[in-house]
Amino acid sequence: MDQQTNANKMPHTLILDNRKILTLSGISNVDSFDEGSVVAYTDIGELSIKGNNLHIAKLNLDTGEMVLDGEIVSMIYSNNQNISSKGILSRLFR
């Protein structure tokens, strides 16, 4: 069953050019966007992009392609899994 789910995943690439143009592939959805941040979903996790004057120059969810321009400050991946509600100590000592 893992082979079947891996076959359905889109390959994910990220190319950052001079911190001004970010070209992405493997994007399955865009949750939110404004001039300061973009939150996109990939098969390997949620991608949060922070910056200034961000603009989505191209977005095609059928092919999974997205191009951002502006000043890219940071890119952070997080897992798709939900964090349990047991508290911070249980998360620290896994």
Side-chain angles (χ1 to χ4, degrees), residues 16 19-20 22 49-51 54 68 70-75:
L16 180 60
R19 289 182 65 178
K20 299 287 182 203
L22 180 62
I49 303 158
K50 304 280 186 196
L54 296 178
L68 288 175
E71 180 186 358
I72 309 296
V73 175
S74 70
M75 297 173 284

Side-chain angles (χ1 to χ4, degrees), residues 2-94:
D2 287 330
Q3 292 174 347
Q4 189 176 24
T5 57
N6 285 338
N8 294 335
K9 291 185 177 184
M10 289 188 281
H12 176 62
T13 60
L14 183 146
I15 301 169
L16 180 60
D17 185 19
N18 210 23
R19 289 182 65 178
K20 299 287 182 203
I21 299 173
L22 180 62
T23 305
L24 301 156
S25 68
I27 301 298
S28 58
N29 198 5
V30 175
D31 184 47
S32 63
F33 62 91
D34 59 30
E35 289 184 349
S37 68
V38 176
V39 177
Y41 291 100
T42 71
D43 287 335
I44 60 172
E46 179 183 288
L47 174 60
S48 298
I49 303 158
K50 304 280 186 196
N52 298 310
N53 299 318
L54 296 178
H55 174 258
I56 297 178
K58 177 182 178 182
L59 176 62
N60 186 336
L61 294 178
D62 292 332
T63 62
E65 297 176 37
M66 181 167 74
V67 177
L68 288 175
D69 59 29
E71 180 186 358
I72 309 296
V73 175
S74 70
M75 297 173 284
I76 300 171
Y77 285 96
S78 59
N79 291 335
N80 288 334
Q81 300 170 351
N82 292 331
I83 298 174
S84 67
S85 60
K86 293 182 181 179
I88 192 165
L89 290 178
S90 66
R91 287 180 275 182
L92 288 174
F93 295 108
R94 284 187 187 185

